[in-house]
Amino acid sequence: MAYLIAVVAFLAVVFYLWMKTKPKNFPPGPPRFPILGSVLYLPRKYPHVVMSGKWAEKYGPVVGLMFGSRKALAVSGPKTVLEVLHRDEFQGRPVNTRVQKMLFNKRLGLIFTDGPYWQELRRFTLRHLRDFGYGRTSMESLIMQEVDDLIKEMRSKDTIQVHALFRIPALNILWAMMSGTRYSRDDEELQTILQGLDKIFRSGTQSGRFLDVFPVLRRILPESRTYKHFVDIINNLLNFVKRTVREHEQNLDENNPRDFIDTYLIQMRKQKTNAESIFTEEGLIVTCQDLFNAGGDSVDNTLGFCLLYMVLHPHVQSAVQRELDSVLGRDRRPTIEDKHRLHYVNAVITEVMRINPVVAMAVPHRVVKDTTLNGYTIPKDTFVLINFWSLLHDREHWGDPEVFRPERFLDENKTFVKDEWMISFGAGKRMCLGEALARNTVFLFFTTLLQEFSFSVPEDESTPQTLPLSGMIMAPQPFSIKISRRV
């Protein structure tokens, strides 16, 4: 009898706590269970499709979730997504205990921070990256060096595997600004780090893993082999960045900074007596790591999708080449200055980024103070998932969002027209720091490659699929292309 009473009492407490987890007037959402919350209903793959499909139809554009006892929102639909991206109270970042544990147990860098620290670091980073490559001339020089090297390699091949084809070239462009260093495509250490990061991007989800939802279980359950592998990957990258920073410290000339790392180190020395300074060696290492992670993968996958749609739509590829020949001729390479004259090229690149965005969902946000959204009560520290894909595939706006149709971005005069719903790089204060660099890199690689080569599906291979690999960043499924020199 005593045992039964204890069980009933335990269940009563669990039920009470469960009832208390959902605040009044919180948005509707999938069923939630005691302790687990809505975790069992979270999609493992392509959550952006579920959010803007089944969930939006059943619950509306704002869906309430519970990650254990942690409150969360899944936001879809053009009006609500754009509102959340521009409202200050939704611009925080949630604490990821797993990531923080490996980053000196502090909130550092550009990705996982918010507030005054993040604002000052972002301004500093953007200002000084401009000094070492964000200017048009220097940026173009860095990009074209990588383009030329890749073209030399491609000229010697009949077919090539597209997966990760652009990753090291894209990373080299950013890393040259950061550290003054570039790497060959076959650099073993860098390849090992990038392959590890690719596994993290492919296996990760925006809502986090089970032990991120229930961090208390880390004290009870042994660390999994997968988690240990995750730690090893991050440590390899941290050690790589640490070594680069230490090399800069040994050769630093405060009167002649060579790159962003030098500039940050000089700022550290200037503020070494300021107890409130945000500039620390640990902060520099994490900032470099954040830029490293973001620098290559998104550009690589965007260019991969560009080549994928060219081989799937040969008539579009031919139209791109006709415009390049008409506007530029064959005697000179494209430049950033040519961008405003290549209307069809811009339409094609924009359509690729719309139909298969590499960032389908924003890096999770956090509500920094109690607020409301669409009439619902949203408490402080609510975790927010923001669905970019829902804008890029809104049927009412685009008409046929599943169709690859670059002409949707051209007016009656065949002039490229921007669309405010194209938020591939985000919007508001959290807009991607590297948008200009990424856009110019994609433009120069794409136009130069299409000027030099034609691409098709190899005769002995099946037609590649457009369904992307799932993960924190979308990527094309591995495929090969046949390369033909244009004559």
Side-chain angles (χ1 to χ4, degrees):
M1 184 66 180
Y3 175 77
L4 179 60
I5 293 174
V7 170
V8 171
F10 173 77
L11 293 176
V13 170
V14 169
F15 182 77
Y16 172 78
L17 293 174
W18 170 60
M19 292 297 294
K20 294 287 287 183
T21 57
K22 182 178 178 181
K24 292 182 180 179
N25 196 35
F26 198 63
R32 56 194 176 90
F33 296 95
I35 302 177
L36 294 176
S38 314
V39 169
L40 299 179
Y41 287 86
L42 297 179
R44 293 178 61 85
K45 292 185 176 182
Y46 311 110
H48 52 281
V49 177
V50 176
M51 285 170 57
S52 57
K54 294 179 181 178
W55 284 5
E57 292 174 7
K58 189 171 184 179
Y59 307 113
V62 182
V63 179
L65 302 166
M66 300 299 299
F67 296 166
S69 61
R70 182 170 59 180
K71 302 166 188 67
L73 297 180
V75 179
S76 296
K79 177 180 178 297
T80 312
V81 166
L82 291 173
E83 180 180 351
V84 166
L85 289 173
H86 286 93
R87 283 175 56 180
D88 288 348
E89 62 266 41
F90 288 95
Q91 303 312 312
R93 283 285 193 238
V95 177
N96 186 317
T97 55
R98 180 174 61 157
V99 173
Q100 191 172 322
K101 179 180 177 181
M102 289 175 289
L103 301 181
F104 311 107
N105 284 311
K106 300 175 184 177
R107 298 191 74 186
L108 300 170
L110 292 161
I111 295 179
F112 297 106
T113 55
D114 50 37
Y117 171 95
W118 170 76
Q119 292 171 1
E120 183 177 354
L121 180 61
R122 180 183 170 90
R123 285 194 295 267
F124 177 89
T125 302
L126 186 56
R127 181 169 69 250
H128 290 291
L129 281 179
R130 288 194 183 106
D131 296 338
F132 299 105
Y134 260 42
R136 174 172 289 183
T137 302
S138 53
M139 182 191 297
E140 188 166 323
S141 176
L142 290 172
I143 296 169
M144 291 309 297
Q145 182 178 3
E146 300 300 328
V147 172
D148 288 340
D149 282 358
L150 181 59
I151 283 181
K152 289 176 184 176
E153 177 183 347
M154 295 176 72
R155 282 173 177 167
S156 64
K157 298 184 178 182
D158 296 323
T159 62
I160 197 167
Q161 168 65 244
V162 174
H163 179 69
L165 178 63
F166 304 97
R167 186 173 297 163
I168 288 182
L171 182 61
N172 273 339
I173 296 163
L174 179 61
W175 204 237
M177 303 178 198
M178 297 290 295
S179 70
T181 307
R182 67 184 298 269
Y183 297 88
S184 65
R185 284 196 353 109
D186 57 359
D187 184 277
E188 292 185 7
E189 181 184 21
L190 198 57
Q191 285 286 5
T192 299
I193 292 172
L194 292 174
Q195 288 167 9
L197 291 174
D198 188 59
K199 291 179 180 178
I200 291 177
F201 289 141
R202 297 281 69 76
S203 62
T205 63
Q206 295 286 21
S207 56
R209 295 176 180 273
F210 190 76
L211 292 184
D212 295 327
V213 176
F214 304 103
V216 69
L217 296 181
R218 295 193 187 284
R219 303 176 184 176
I220 304 171
L221 301 176
E223 291 183 344
S224 68
R225 185 175 301 176
T226 300
Y227 178 72
K228 291 178 180 177
H229 184 54
F230 176 91
V231 172
D232 289 341
I233 292 169
I234 297 298
N235 283 339
N236 284 342
L237 177 54
L238 280 175
N239 290 333
F240 173 83
V241 175
K242 282 179 186 177
R243 188 174 69 246
T244 304
V245 169
R246 299 283 164 76
E247 290 170 353
H248 277 66
E249 288 177 328
Q250 293 171 4
N251 302 293
L252 182 63
D253 180 351
E254 294 189 21
N255 296 316
N256 295 290
R258 298 159 294 181
D259 47 48
F260 175 81
I261 292 178
D262 273 1
T263 303
Y264 190 109
L265 290 171
I266 292 169
Q267 190 71 8
M268 276 177 54
R269 293 186 180 183
K270 288 180 179 179
Q271 298 195 19
K272 64 182 178 181
T273 59
N274 178 7
E276 301 299 320
S277 174
I278 71 165
F279 297 96
T280 65
E281 184 180 84
E282 291 175 345
L284 173 57
I285 291 169
V286 176
T287 299
C288 290
Q289 178 184 262
D290 287 348
L291 293 168
F292 188 100
N293 287 338
D297 209 66
S298 57
V299 169
D300 170 46
N301 291 328
T302 298
L303 284 166
F305 278 125
C306 283
L307 292 187
L308 171 64
Y309 281 93
M310 291 306 93
V311 300
L312 293 177
H313 300 274
H315 66 286
V316 173
Q317 181 178 177
S318 296
V320 167
Q321 291 169 329
R322 286 196 298 272
E323 182 178 61
L324 290 172
D325 291 348
S326 173
V327 174
L328 307 180
R330 302 289 292 277
D331 298 328
R332 71 171 181 88
R333 292 281 173 82
T335 67
I336 295 174
E337 186 64 32
D338 294 318
K339 187 185 294 187
H340 72 281
R341 299 193 296 155
L342 294 168
H343 296 282
Y344 189 70
V345 166
N346 283 307
V348 169
I349 293 174
T350 305
E351 177 69 346
V352 170
M353 296 173 72
R354 182 202 66 80
I355 197 169
N356 244 324
V358 298
V359 181
M361 293 174 60
V363 176
H365 287 218
R366 176 180 63 88
V367 178
V368 298
K369 66 178 181 179
D370 293 347
T371 188
T372 60
L373 181 64
N374 284 21
Y376 296 112
T377 300
I378 312 299
K380 179 183 177 181
D381 291 327
T382 297
F383 186 101
V384 187
L385 301 172
I386 304 173
N387 189 352
F388 289 171
W389 194 87
S390 65
L391 271 77
L392 305 178
H393 281 255
D394 182 80
R395 185 166 296 279
E396 183 176 345
H397 183 73
W398 303 107
D400 53 354
E402 72 285 349
V403 175
F404 181 73
R405 186 166 59 83
E407 291 76 16
R408 71 174 82 246
F409 293 104
L410 298 174
D411 64 14
E412 62 276 7
N413 297 317
K414 305 299 183 183
T415 300
F416 175 69
V417 179
K418 294 182 179 180
D419 192 298
E420 64 178 6
W421 286 21
M422 282 300 303
I423 57 169
S424 306
F425 295 90
K429 292 182 178 179
R430 286 283 180 179
M431 195 166 184
C432 176
L433 187 73
E435 178 182 6
L437 178 62
R439 287 190 182 279
N440 287 326
T441 301
V442 169
F443 173 80
L444 289 175
F445 268 92
F446 180 72
T447 53
T448 308
L449 288 176
L450 268 292
Q451 185 186 55
E452 179 88 9
F453 305 108
S454 292
F455 303 104
S456 58
V457 179
E459 289 83 354
D460 57 345
E461 295 196 16
S462 58
T463 303
Q465 301 298 308
T466 58
L467 181 69
L469 299 172
S470 187
M472 290 186 288
I473 295 179
M474 301 290 112
Q477 297 185 40
F479 68 101
S480 296
I481 53 173
K482 180 181 177 180
I483 304 170
S484 304
R485 291 283 299 275
R486 295 186 68 210
V487 295

